[in-house]
């Protein structure tokens, strides 16, 4: 049995549960119980505030966790970062009031900066030789300058809309984060084995994200040209059709490139193009 800590409520909760479901592991959503087991895999899921996950994994109360790199880096706990999940992407940036003339990092010398990430910010300022006052506040960091609590802030930014609403502008992007799997460094052999099985499933889910399965028919003499423009897991599959002189091509393509490829394929002479959703990609 392996115990996984995930966020109880918030931006990482849905993506974490969806990842588990796509990896064939169904668990209740944590709204009623703090700890639930799954019938599908020897796993228990512990629902926590994201701030607590690095500590709980370092202590071994949970064996592994899903949490943002921002929290891992800030909390400085002894955990191993074992897999990048590709969701929960954000950055932590320095922002100053819109009206300020900002030229360089020197600006922050002698300034008061409010943040919920004091460790990350202090290391950054130390590394750059900036002497600023770092004020650790738990929430509503973005209003600190307008109420006179600070001159600037260091906070999570995704679209930047919250900054604009609060009369701020982003001036330095300092830390880039995404959700990761962290593990206790002293896992038993049995738990390591379960972790490897989980990561294998997570990887298959991540690989198949945004991928489509495409089939098309093509005169034989056009096959080489089409194969050259379509990457496959190894290369496209080419099968003969019952109708002489024609082949069927099967290939996995990224959804973002799909329409571009379809247009190019039509020009070459492809017919009967089918696009299907792709469940899993196992290398
Ligand atoms: P908790 O109650 O669990 O402490 P929280 O309020 O600290 O929740 P959320 O806002 O739910 O945290 O964000 C959780 C994590 O999601 C962040 O630590 C970060 O890694 C990630 N994240 C991704 N995009 C964003 C964003 N636009 N704003 C905030 N966090 C984001
Ligand atoms: Mg939190």
């Amino acid at each position: 049995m392996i115990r996984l800590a995930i966020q109880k409520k918030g931006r990482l909760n849905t993506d974490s549960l969806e990842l588990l479901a796509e990896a064939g592991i169904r668990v209740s959503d944590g709204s009623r119980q703090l700890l639930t087991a799954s019938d599908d895999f020897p796993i228990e899921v512990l629902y926590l505030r994201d701030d607590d996950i690095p500590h709980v994994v370092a202590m071994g109360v949970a064996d592994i966790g899903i949490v943002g790199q921002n929290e891992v880096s800030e909390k400085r706990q002894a955990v191993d970062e074992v897999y990048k999940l590709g969701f929960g992407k954000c950055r932590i940036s320095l922002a100053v009031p819109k009206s300020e003339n900002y030229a360089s990092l020197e600006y922050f010398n002698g300034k008061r900066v409010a943040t919920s990430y004091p460790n990350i910010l202090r290391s950054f300022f130390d590394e750059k030789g900036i002497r600023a006052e770092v004020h650790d506040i738990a929430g509503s960091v973005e209003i600190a300058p307008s109420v006179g609590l600070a001159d600037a802030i260091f906070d999570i930014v995704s679209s930047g809309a919250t900054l604009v609403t609060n009369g701020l502008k982003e001036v330095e992007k300092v830390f880039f984060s995404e959700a990761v799997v962290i593990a206790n460094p002293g896992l038993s052999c049995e738990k390591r084995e379960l972790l490897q099985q989980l990561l294998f499933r997570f990887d298959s889910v991540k690989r198949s994200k945004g991928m489509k399965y495409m089939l098309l028919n093509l005169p034989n003499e056009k096959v080489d040209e089409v194969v050259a423009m379509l990457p496959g897991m190894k290369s496209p599959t080419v099968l003969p059709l019952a109708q002489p002189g024609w082949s069927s091509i099967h290939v996995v393509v990224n959804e973002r490139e799909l329409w571009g490829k379809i247009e190019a394929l039509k020009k070459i002479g492809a017919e009967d193009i089918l696009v299907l959703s792709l469940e899993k990609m196992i290398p």
Side-chain angles (χ1 to χ4, degrees), residues 15 43 79 87 107 183 192 228:
D15 283 339
I43 193 169
V79 295
F87 59 77
Y107 172 93
R192 276 199 183 280

Side-chain angles (χ1 to χ4, degrees), residues 49-51 71:
R49 285 201 55 188
D50 70 341
D51 312 58
E71 291 299 331

Side-chain angles (χ1 to χ4, degrees), residues 206-220:
K206 190 170 130 182
R207 276 166 198 276
S208 60
K209 273 267 164 320
M211 301 304 261
K212 297 283 172 197
Y213 191 77
M214 184 159 72
L215 300 97
L216 54 101
N217 294 335
L218 198 69
N220 285 346

Side-chain angles (χ1 to χ4, degrees), residues 4-219:
L4 165 72
I6 67 170
Q7 193 189 23
K8 181 173 166 61
K9 208 169 74 207
R11 292 176 199 265
L12 299 180
N13 171 270
T14 317
D15 283 339
S16 304
L17 287 172
E18 210 174 279
L19 172 69
L20 288 173
E22 287 176 37
I25 300 166
R26 283 163 308 163
V27 283
S28 76
D29 66 2
S31 52
R32 271 185 296 253
Q33 263 176 308
L34 203 64
L35 184 67
T36 58
S38 170
D39 296 332
D40 310 315
F41 193 85
I43 193 169
E44 284 176 326
V45 176
L46 179 62
Y47 295 90
L48 297 173
R49 285 201 55 188
D50 70 341
D51 312 58
D52 297 330
I53 293 176
H55 185 212
V56 160
V57 171
M59 278 172 36
V61 173
D63 303 304
I64 56 175
I66 295 179
V67 67
Q69 287 169 309
N70 52 325
E71 291 299 331
V72 181
S73 203
E74 178 60 27
K75 295 301 187 293
R76 313 231 152 140
Q77 297 289 322
V79 295
D80 295 334
E81 188 185 308
V82 294
Y83 187 75
K84 288 191 176 60
L85 289 163
F87 59 77
K89 288 194 177 165
C90 59
R91 59 184 186 268
I92 317 182
S93 295
L94 282 159
V96 303
K98 243 188 346 237
S99 54
E100 290 293 292
N101 262 327
Y102 180 85
S104 75
L105 266 185
E106 306 290 318
Y107 172 93
F108 291 101
N109 276 315
K111 294 282 200 298
R112 296 166 304 159
V113 187
T115 185
S116 313
Y117 296 95
N119 288 326
I120 297 176
L121 183 57
R122 279 198 196 98
S123 316
F124 175 72
F125 279 155
D126 284 350
E127 192 186 302
K128 302 288 181 188
I130 302 292
R131 300 177 68 85
E133 268 179 53
V134 174
H135 290 260
D136 183 4
I137 61 174
S140 307
V141 171
E142 65 285 354
I143 64 160
S146 59
V147 300
L149 211 59
D151 303 307
I153 65 162
F154 178 62
D155 202 9
I156 290 187
V157 178
S158 52
S159 68
T162 315
L163 292 182
V164 173
T165 316
N166 289 283
L168 300 166
K169 60 180 177 188
E170 183 178 19
V171 293
E172 302 283 345
K173 298 172 185 172
V174 174
F175 187 93
F176 290 83
S177 177
E178 68 182 90
V180 287
V181 179
I182 55 170
N184 180 286
L187 293 185
S188 67
C189 288
E190 179 220 355
K191 287 180 176 179
R192 276 199 183 280
E193 177 64 29
L194 290 172
L195 173 59
Q196 286 319 312
Q197 288 177 23
L198 270 181
L199 294 183
F200 179 80
R201 294 189 187 192
F202 290 174
D203 203 45
S204 309
V205 172
K206 190 170 130 182
R207 276 166 198 276
S208 60
K209 273 267 164 320
M211 301 304 261
K212 297 283 172 197
Y213 191 77
M214 184 159 72
L215 300 97
L216 54 101
N217 294 335
L218 198 69

